[in-house]
């Protein structure tokens, strides 16, 4: 992999994160805490970036765009070029989008005990894992001329990081997906950069398709 760093950020906490609802291709706005998480990520990212330029690629879903706007606002003095990229959108979970896990189970759905990381792939109308891997792999194949900041989602971000490091898709879905930290990818490895403030609510919501 390239020596040019890629920074992978998950969007800040949303209203549906708080409610435990599957978002997928649907959307909900950031909470005040989510906006603060985005601001902290921007501050920490600015401290990591050298003077010069940076490219930003953003999922077209509203929660990622809202996060990116706040993050970019903290990158003072840097030449920022940003774009949306549909390959970064979250995994679509079809008819289960907008539901909580309990509401899915109430429909009579049963999951094997070893499906903690990918149970949402069983949703009627969901994207296939192979399709998601293909679009993220195509995104990673691009040539980088300067550092790249990616603002995306929980599962999308895990798969992107895992593919970068040579993990299988199912191994990648076992990675964490924080909203109070982001990752620097370089030379086939990742480094976690924490953005937790000294005080205040730092709870993230790491178990939904977000």
């Amino acid at each position: 992999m390239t020596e040019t760093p890629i920074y992978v950020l998950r969007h800040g906490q949303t209203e549906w994160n708080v409610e435990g609802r599957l978002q997928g291709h649907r959307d909900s706005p950031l909470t005040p805490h989510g906006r603060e998480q985005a601001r902290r990520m921007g501050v920490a990212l600015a401290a990591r970036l050298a003077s010069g330029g940076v490219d930003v690629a953003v999922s077209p879903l509203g929660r990622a765009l809202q996060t990116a706007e706040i993050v970019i606002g903290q990158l003072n003095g840097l030449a920022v070029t940003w774009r949306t990229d549909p390959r970064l959108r979250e995994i679509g979970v079809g008819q289960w989008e907008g539901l909580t896990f309990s509401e899915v189970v109430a429909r009579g759905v049963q999951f094997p005990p070893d499906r903690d990381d990918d149970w949402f792939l069983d949703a009627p109308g969901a994207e296939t894992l192979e399709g998601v891997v293909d679009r993220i792999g195509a995104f990673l194949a691009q040539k980088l001329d300067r550092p790249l900041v990616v603002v995306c989602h929980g599962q999308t971000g895990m798969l992107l990081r895992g593919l970068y490091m040579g993990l299988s898709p199912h191994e990648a879905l076992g990675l964490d997906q924080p909203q109070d930290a982001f990752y620097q990818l370089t030379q086939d490895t990742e480094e976690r950069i924490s953005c937790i403030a000294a005080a205040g609510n730092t709870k993230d919501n790491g178990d939904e398709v977000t």
Side-chain angles (χ1 to χ4, degrees):
M1 289 290 183
T2 177
E3 294 183 6
T4 304
I6 301 174
Y7 299 92
V8 183
L9 287 62
R10 181 186 175 194
H11 63 78
Q13 181 194 70
T14 69
E15 292 178 1
W16 276 12
N17 284 157
V18 174
E19 296 173 10
R21 297 191 179 278
L22 298 166
Q23 295 185 116
H25 290 172
R26 294 181 64 182
D27 214 9
S28 67
L30 299 187
T31 64
H33 180 53
R35 293 193 292 272
E36 175 61 16
Q37 288 174 323
R39 187 195 67 80
R40 293 177 197 162
M41 286 192 285
V43 170
L45 182 62
R48 304 282 299 196
L49 293 170
S51 60
V54 61
D55 293 322
V56 181
V58 187
S59 160
L61 295 173
R63 56 195 183 275
L65 288 168
Q66 191 178 0
T67 299
E69 180 180 10
I70 296 170
V71 168
I72 291 171
Q74 304 300 316
L75 305 183
N76 299 320
L78 294 173
V80 177
T81 300
W82 77 276
R83 69 185 190 278
T84 59
D85 194 315
R87 295 173 295 188
L88 296 174
R89 67 190 184 279
E90 184 57 296
I91 296 175
V93 290
Q95 296 178 22
W96 291 353
E97 292 182 358
L99 301 180
T100 65
F101 180 79
S102 296
E103 289 169 341
V104 172
V105 172
R107 295 187 172 193
V109 180
Q110 296 183 349
F111 303 101
D114 60 347
R115 294 290 303 283
D116 286 347
D117 296 329
D118 65 356
W119 59 271
F120 48 84
L121 296 172
D122 289 345
E127 280 190 272
T128 66
L129 183 58
E130 293 78 13
V132 179
V133 168
D134 284 348
R135 62 175 163 90
I136 295 174
F139 176 84
L140 282 173
Q142 66 185 301
K143 181 179 182 297
L144 301 182
D145 297 318
R146 58 183 185 171
L148 175 65
V149 176
V150 175
V151 183
C152 58
H153 305 273
Q155 272 67 30
T156 304
M158 289 190 293
L159 287 168
L160 190 155
R161 289 158 46 211
L163 291 176
Y164 181 93
M165 294 186 291
L167 303 180
S168 72
H170 287 285
E171 289 173 328
L173 288 174
L175 297 173
D176 65 345
Q177 45 174 325
Q179 289 170 305
D180 57 7
F182 61 90
Y183 288 88
Q184 177 179 317
L185 309 182
T186 185
Q187 296 184 313
D188 300 331
T189 62
E190 69 175 12
E191 176 188 357
R192 178 180 170 126
I193 296 105
S194 177
C195 308
I196 296 177
N201 177 18
T202 60
K203 182 182 183 296
D204 64 37
N205 299 82
D207 297 328
E208 306 90 36
V209 181
T210 59

